PDB file of all heavy atoms in Angstrom:
ATOM      1  N   ASP A 824     -25.262  52.657  13.947  1.00  0.00           N
ATOM      2  CA  ASP A 824     -25.777  51.286  13.926  1.00  0.00           C
ATOM      3  C   ASP A 824     -25.343  50.534  12.677  1.00  0.00           C
ATOM      4  O   ASP A 824     -25.194  49.328  12.688  1.00  0.00           O
ATOM      5  CB  ASP A 824     -27.309  51.271  14.092  1.00  0.00           C
ATOM      6  CG  ASP A 824     -27.984  52.132  13.033  1.00  0.00           C
ATOM      7  OD1 ASP A 824     -27.350  53.127  12.625  1.00  0.00           O
ATOM      8  OD2 ASP A 824     -29.105  51.804  12.622  1.00  0.00           O
ATOM      9  N   VAL A 825     -25.087  51.278  11.575  1.00  0.00           N
ATOM     10  CA  VAL A 825     -24.630  50.619  10.347  1.00  0.00           C
ATOM     11  C   VAL A 825     -23.224  50.053  10.551  1.00  0.00           C
ATOM     12  O   VAL A 825     -22.959  48.890  10.259  1.00  0.00           O
ATOM     13  CB  VAL A 825     -24.637  51.603   9.146  1.00  0.00           C
ATOM     14  CG1 VAL A 825     -24.051  50.926   7.918  1.00  0.00           C
ATOM     15  CG2 VAL A 825     -26.049  52.077   8.884  1.00  0.00           C
ATOM     16  N   THR A 826     -22.316  50.857  11.090  1.00  0.00           N
ATOM     17  CA  THR A 826     -20.948  50.351  11.310  1.00  0.00           C
ATOM     18  C   THR A 826     -20.949  49.202  12.310  1.00  0.00           C
ATOM     19  O   THR A 826     -20.254  48.224  12.118  1.00  0.00           O
ATOM     20  CB  THR A 826     -20.020  51.462  11.840  1.00  0.00           C
ATOM     21  OG1 THR A 826     -20.800  52.448  12.475  1.00  0.00           O
ATOM     22  CG2 THR A 826     -19.181  52.038  10.737  1.00  0.00           C
ATOM     23  N   ALA A 827     -21.756  49.378  13.345  1.00  0.00           N
ATOM     24  CA  ALA A 827     -21.797  48.320  14.358  1.00  0.00           C
ATOM     25  C   ALA A 827     -22.268  47.021  13.712  1.00  0.00           C
ATOM     26  O   ALA A 827     -21.696  45.961  13.936  1.00  0.00           O
ATOM     27  CB  ALA A 827     -22.730  48.716  15.505  1.00  0.00           C
ATOM     28  N   HIS A 828     -23.268  47.150  12.856  1.00  0.00           N
ATOM     29  CA  HIS A 828     -23.784  45.960  12.198  1.00  0.00           C
ATOM     30  C   HIS A 828     -22.713  45.335  11.309  1.00  0.00           C
ATOM     31  O   HIS A 828     -22.474  44.129  11.342  1.00  0.00           O
ATOM     32  CB  HIS A 828     -25.006  46.328  11.367  1.00  0.00           C
ATOM     33  CG  HIS A 828     -25.606  45.168  10.643  1.00  0.00           C
ATOM     34  ND1 HIS A 828     -26.324  44.189  11.299  1.00  0.00           N
ATOM     35  CD2 HIS A 828     -25.549  44.803   9.347  1.00  0.00           C
ATOM     36  CE1 HIS A 828     -26.692  43.275  10.411  1.00  0.00           C
ATOM     37  NE2 HIS A 828     -26.230  43.619   9.222  1.00  0.00           N
ATOM     38  N   LYS A 829     -22.036  46.194  10.524  1.00  0.00           N
ATOM     39  CA  LYS A 829     -20.991  45.705   9.630  1.00  0.00           C
ATOM     40  C   LYS A 829     -19.900  44.984  10.425  1.00  0.00           C
ATOM     41  O   LYS A 829     -19.403  43.939  10.035  1.00  0.00           O
ATOM     42  CB  LYS A 829     -20.360  46.881   8.861  1.00  0.00           C
ATOM     43  CG  LYS A 829     -20.796  46.924   7.393  1.00  0.00           C
ATOM     44  CD  LYS A 829     -20.244  48.142   6.700  1.00  0.00           C
ATOM     45  CE  LYS A 829     -18.818  47.909   6.211  1.00  0.00           C
ATOM     46  NZ  LYS A 829     -18.307  49.100   5.504  1.00  0.00           N
ATOM     47  N   ARG A 830     -19.563  45.590  11.559  1.00  0.00           N
ATOM     48  CA  ARG A 830     -18.484  45.022  12.355  1.00  0.00           C
ATOM     49  C   ARG A 830     -18.878  43.643  12.902  1.00  0.00           C
ATOM     50  O   ARG A 830     -18.097  42.712  12.872  1.00  0.00           O
ATOM     51  CB  ARG A 830     -18.103  45.970  13.492  1.00  0.00           C
ATOM     52  CG  ARG A 830     -16.745  45.640  14.077  1.00  0.00           C
ATOM     53  CD  ARG A 830     -16.351  46.632  15.138  1.00  0.00           C
ATOM     54  NE  ARG A 830     -16.300  47.995  14.608  1.00  0.00           N
ATOM     55  CZ  ARG A 830     -16.561  49.080  15.334  1.00  0.00           C
ATOM     56  NH1 ARG A 830     -16.904  48.981  16.594  1.00  0.00           N
ATOM     57  NH2 ARG A 830     -16.481  50.267  14.805  1.00  0.00           N
ATOM     58  N   THR A 831     -20.131  43.538  13.378  1.00  0.00           N
ATOM     59  CA  THR A 831     -20.576  42.258  13.909  1.00  0.00           C
ATOM     60  C   THR A 831     -20.545  41.185  12.820  1.00  0.00           C
ATOM     61  O   THR A 831     -20.080  40.070  13.034  1.00  0.00           O
ATOM     62  CB  THR A 831     -22.011  42.372  14.470  1.00  0.00           C
ATOM     63  OG1 THR A 831     -22.117  43.617  15.139  1.00  0.00           O
ATOM     64  CG2 THR A 831     -22.314  41.250  15.425  1.00  0.00           C
ATOM     65  N   ALA A 832     -21.012  41.563  11.620  1.00  0.00           N
ATOM     66  CA  ALA A 832     -21.010  40.599  10.522  1.00  0.00           C
ATOM     67  C   ALA A 832     -19.583  40.178  10.211  1.00  0.00           C
ATOM     68  O   ALA A 832     -19.292  38.995  10.040  1.00  0.00           O
ATOM     69  CB  ALA A 832     -21.657  41.216   9.290  1.00  0.00           C
ATOM     70  N   GLY A 833     -18.667  41.134  10.188  1.00  0.00           N
ATOM     71  CA  GLY A 833     -17.270  40.828   9.915  1.00  0.00           C
ATOM     72  C   GLY A 833     -16.714  39.874  10.943  1.00  0.00           C
ATOM     73  O   GLY A 833     -16.017  38.916  10.603  1.00  0.00           O
ATOM     74  N   ARG A 834     -17.056  40.097  12.177  1.00  0.00           N
ATOM     75  CA  ARG A 834     -16.517  39.236  13.243  1.00  0.00           C
ATOM     76  C   ARG A 834     -17.113  37.844  13.171  1.00  0.00           C
ATOM     77  O   ARG A 834     -16.449  36.869  13.501  1.00  0.00           O
ATOM     78  CB  ARG A 834     -16.774  39.876  14.612  1.00  0.00           C
ATOM     79  CG  ARG A 834     -15.912  41.110  14.839  1.00  0.00           C
ATOM     80  CD  ARG A 834     -16.108  41.696  16.211  1.00  0.00           C
ATOM     81  NE  ARG A 834     -15.232  41.084  17.209  1.00  0.00           N
ATOM     82  CZ  ARG A 834     -13.960  41.412  17.347  1.00  0.00           C
ATOM     83  NH1 ARG A 834     -13.402  42.302  16.565  1.00  0.00           N
ATOM     84  NH2 ARG A 834     -13.231  40.833  18.273  1.00  0.00           N
ATOM     85  N   THR A 835     -18.363  37.750  12.720  1.00  0.00           N
ATOM     86  CA  THR A 835     -18.951  36.421  12.562  1.00  0.00           C
ATOM     87  C   THR A 835     -18.188  35.637  11.504  1.00  0.00           C
ATOM     88  O   THR A 835     -17.817  34.477  11.701  1.00  0.00           O
ATOM     89  CB  THR A 835     -20.428  36.536  12.155  1.00  0.00           C
ATOM     90  OG1 THR A 835     -21.060  37.426  13.063  1.00  0.00           O
ATOM     91  CG2 THR A 835     -21.114  35.184  12.199  1.00  0.00           C
TER      92      THR A 835
END
Side-chain angles (χ1 to χ4, degrees):
Chain A
D824 56 329
V825 175
T826 24
H828 180 73
K829 254 176 84 179
R830 197 177 301 149
T831 320
R834 289 183 87 80
T835 309

